[in-house]
Amino acid sequence: MLSIADLTATLAGLLTLGVDPSHGEVDDLTIAEPGHGVVGQPGDLVLGVGVETVEAAVALVDAASAAGAGGLVLRRNLAARRQVRDRARRAGLALVGLAEQASWAHVVWLLRGVIDRASTTAGDRRGDAPVQDDLFALADAAAALVDAPVTIEDAQSRVLAYSSRQDMTDPARVSTIVGRRVPDEVLASLRARGVFRRLARSDEPVFVPADPNGLLPRLVVPVRAGGEWLGSIWAVVEERPPADLVAELVQTSSVVALHLLRLRAQADLSRRVAADRLRGVLSGSTVGADSWLPPGPWRVVCLGGEGGAARLLDLWESVSRRHAWNQPLLADLDGRAYAVVRDSEDPLLPGTWGWLTAVVDRARGESLELTARAGRAAHAVAELERSKAEALEVERVVGSSTDAATASTVHEDVWARVTVARACASLRDGDVLGPLAMLADHDREHSSDHLLTLAAWLDHPGAPGRAARSIHVHPNTLRYRMNRIADLAGLDLDDPVVRLALRLQLSALLEAPSSA
């Protein structure tokens, strides 16, 4: 079963959720045409094809509810009418609005693909293979049409399919197919010539002449649906093709658009399902995890960067796929973004800790401030929840630092700071024991710095000069203050247990765990 909320989010732009009873789920489609009623099974998504009046829409809401339908799709203008919304709300029926310009035939095709994908995603990672195969067939058809090699790319210049014929190529085409992405230097050249700006703004094909760097001429046809730029068809040609061939290639682009919509819908749904499963594992649910997790051991990584959890996930999804992790294990939980990677130091193996640290280093070189803080290795699925908690501990003790030493950090690197943080967390607010309470009161009443001075002395045992420099005072001032502290509190600083207890309380009070 697929929730109505996930379905509409997957096909955002075409579908809008109008009424959500919070329990709407569907597993099949039913087309309800005027005069034929609703014929289907409970849990079907009913499509109101041909419904044009408010009265007919209200009647269909009643019929769909009586049939136990999971939801009803109407044209957006009808789904937005108050009478229809109120009736759907009273009936407890999910109501979905369909964009006015969308074709019912295309929508049925897309919905069928998404629902079928939902039923197989849990055990089949190759559910998008038929769409990919169709795209390769379309690339071959387009190549035969213009008698030239062809690639089909998405709006981020990632290669989705290419024709079997690649006899007339240049180095850029070879790199594009091998890397499944247009090389950065070629992208820069095309951007400088305004190619992508024209593709994003116009439906018209673009002829790109050869350039002095060896880039052969290209005919580029934008692929659009509902005004949205989804991708493009690239053909390496010797000269501008005749107008009739270009027109046929434009017609082919409309078919490609449907496949790109379906591919995007399936990818969105796959990401949602994968994220839900990963959230469950990180929250302690281990049922069935062995069937989709890669071989262990693993580490859970708290991911950092600019923006909230949702934005971070999108950013890390893009970065991961760009660096060859095609099925990244990413999820947001409690307002933070997490990844599960294999515990391997191999920087060339995507989806491992070694690879992730290399990606963070490369991102820093591109002025992208990403961070990755990992818990200890988990050797069983049940230990992933513990590794997640440790990754969060690392994130907290390291904080927002993004310098080279802490951008990628594992729990083992900061175990001492984590130990202090755990001890400090057990101290209640204001729970100051022993003579330290007297010093805290003195500091508040006389604006003195006895607590800060004592912390510096403890952090630099036997080195009063270093201790004084750490708080920017003269060593004689430090000695004077320590004598005052001894007089006021009567501390036995020769006792190691006293020193440890004092330092832990000072860490909690000053909110600055010692890094010594």
Side-chain angles (χ1 to χ4, degrees), residues 300-445:
V300 179
V301 186
C302 185
L303 303 172
E306 295 184 0
R311 181 178 175 184
L312 264 181
L313 280 184
D314 290 341
L315 174 61
W316 276 97
E317 175 92 21
S318 176
V319 169
S320 298
R321 291 182 182 277
R322 178 183 175 188
H323 291 91
W325 195 14
N326 295 324
Q327 294 176 334
L329 296 174
L330 306 172
D332 59 313
L333 185 64
D334 299 329
R336 294 186 179 272
Y338 293 95
V340 172
V341 298
R342 297 178 66 186
D343 183 32
S344 167
E345 296 297 328
D346 187 348
L348 301 179
L349 185 59
T352 65
W353 173 246
W355 168 88
L356 188 61
T357 58
V359 167
V360 170
D361 289 342
R362 284 195 291 269
R364 288 173 53 80
E366 300 170 358
S367 300
L368 192 59
E369 298 295 340
L370 300 181
T371 60
R373 277 71 187 255
R376 291 182 298 154
H379 294 270
V381 176
E383 296 178 359
L384 286 170
E385 185 179 16
R386 182 262 301 160
S387 185
K388 186 264 294 183
E390 292 171 345
L392 188 55
E393 284 184 320
V394 177
E395 175 68 21
R396 286 171 175 164
V397 300
V398 175
S400 58
S401 172
T402 57
D403 60 48
T406 60
S408 300
T409 311
V410 294
H411 195 271
E412 294 91 324
D413 292 339
V414 291
W415 66 269
R417 297 170 66 181
V418 169
T419 300
V420 172
R422 289 180 180 179
C424 292
S426 67
L427 297 173
R428 297 188 300 274
D429 291 340
D431 188 7
V432 183
L433 307 176
L436 204 63
M438 182 186 302
L439 295 179
D441 291 339
H442 189 279
D443 280 355
R444 282 193 296 270
E445 294 171 4

Side-chain angles (χ1 to χ4, degrees), residues 187-226:
L187 288 175
S189 173
L190 293 171
R191 287 195 187 99
R193 299 163 77 179
V195 174
F196 291 108
R197 184 165 55 251
R198 294 172 64 183
L199 291 174
R201 296 178 178 177
S202 172
D203 295 338
E204 294 298 319
V206 179
F207 179 72
V208 184
D211 71 5
N213 297 321
L215 192 69
L216 295 175
R218 280 154 166 75
L219 177 69
V220 192
V221 179
V223 177
R224 312 180 79 87

Side-chain angles (χ1 to χ4, degrees), residues 124-193:
D124 183 9
R125 290 175 176 254
R126 292 285 299 161
D128 57 353
V131 182
Q132 293 283 9
D133 292 344
D134 289 345
L135 284 175
F136 276 93
L138 285 170
D140 281 336
L145 186 65
V146 296
D147 193 26
V150 164
T151 59
I152 297 174
E153 302 171 12
D154 65 11
Q156 286 74 46
S157 297
R158 292 175 297 205
V159 176
L160 303 176
Y162 52 89
S163 61
S164 55
R165 172 185 171 179
Q166 296 293 330
D167 54 333
M168 184 174 67
T169 58
D170 51 21
R173 171 55 59 92
V174 174
S175 298
T176 296
I177 292 177
V178 172
R180 300 304 293 265
R181 182 180 176 86
V182 179
D184 291 340
E185 60 273 16
V186 177
L187 288 175
S189 173
L190 293 171
R191 287 195 187 99
R193 299 163 77 179

Side-chain angles (χ1 to χ4, degrees), residues 71-312:
L72 172 63
V73 181
L74 297 171
R75 287 290 183 185
R76 196 167 288 168
N77 67 326
L78 282 175
R81 299 295 290 270
R82 178 178 297 178
Q83 302 96 307
V84 180
R85 290 168 60 89
D86 288 347
R87 185 63 64 89
R89 193 173 289 111
R90 287 196 299 271
L93 181 70
L95 183 63
V96 178
L98 172 65
E100 299 300 324
Q101 76 277 9
S103 162
W104 280 109
H106 294 167
V107 169
V108 170
W109 185 70
L110 288 170
L111 286 171
R112 172 58 63 197
V114 172
I115 292 174
D116 288 347
R117 173 70 172 177
S119 66
T120 59
T121 297
D124 183 9
R125 290 175 176 254
R126 292 285 299 161
D128 57 353
V131 182
Q132 293 283 9
D133 292 344
D134 289 345
L135 284 175
F136 276 93
L138 285 170
D140 281 336
L145 186 65
V146 296
D147 193 26
V150 164
T151 59
I152 297 174
E153 302 171 12
D154 65 11
Q156 286 74 46
S157 297
R158 292 175 297 205
V159 176
L160 303 176
Y162 52 89
S163 61
S164 55
R165 172 185 171 179
Q166 296 293 330
D167 54 333
M168 184 174 67
T169 58
D170 51 21
R173 171 55 59 92
V174 174
S175 298
T176 296
I177 292 177
V178 172
R180 300 304 293 265
R181 182 180 176 86
V182 179
D184 291 340
E185 60 273 16
V186 177
L187 288 175
S189 173
L190 293 171
R191 287 195 187 99
R193 299 163 77 179
V195 174
F196 291 108
R197 184 165 55 251
R198 294 172 64 183
L199 291 174
R201 296 178 178 177
S202 172
D203 295 338
E204 294 298 319
V206 179
F207 179 72
V208 184
D211 71 5
N213 297 321
L215 192 69
L216 295 175
R218 280 154 166 75
L219 177 69
V220 192
V221 179
V223 177
R224 312 180 79 87
E228 180 184 0
W229 178 40
L230 302 175
S232 47
I233 302 173
W234 295 71
V236 178
V237 294
E238 295 180 349
E239 58 185 12
R240 186 189 297 269
D244 57 338
L245 289 183
V246 174
E248 290 188 48
L249 198 58
V250 170
Q251 290 182 347
T252 301
S253 72
S254 64
V255 181
V256 172
L258 290 175
H259 284 76
L260 294 191
L261 281 174
R262 185 177 179 186
L263 191 63
R264 185 175 68 179
Q266 292 180 349
D268 288 346
L269 181 62
S270 180
R271 282 194 293 270
R272 288 172 180 274
V273 172
D276 285 343
R277 292 188 306 195
L278 197 57
R279 287 189 202 98
V281 166
L282 297 182
S283 300
S285 175
T286 62
V287 178
D290 290 328
S291 66
W292 54 269
L293 276 174
W298 314 272
R299 287 183 186 266
V300 179
V301 186
C302 185
L303 303 172
E306 295 184 0
R311 181 178 175 184
L312 264 181

